[in-house]
Amino acid sequence: MSFVWIALLWGGLTEIGLALWSRLYLSDWKRYVPARPDEPVIAKPDSFNT
């Protein structure tokens, strides 16, 4: 029975750790930062604009 509690505690701590890591590390990635309203979501290369 103690194995079940250890597994649940380990899973909970892992989930909290991953949430904290993604909040701190991935928040600087451009992919996860919301685009500004004046900036297009997908920027097209100049060759498509001609």
Side-chain angles (χ1 to χ4, degrees):
M1 189 62 153
S2 65
F3 178 73
V4 173
W5 286 111
I6 291 171
L8 288 173
L9 182 63
W10 183 261
L13 290 175
T14 302
E15 182 66 28
I16 291 170
L18 286 174
L20 181 64
W21 177 76
S22 68
R23 172 71 66 167
L24 295 175
Y25 183 69
L26 297 179
S27 64
D28 292 340
W29 285 15
K30 186 175 175 126
R31 177 177 180 180
Y32 296 105
V33 175
R36 294 189 317 244
D38 60 337
E39 183 177 287
V41 176
I42 299 174
K44 295 182 180 178
D46 289 334
S47 62
F48 290 120
N49 294 334
T50 58

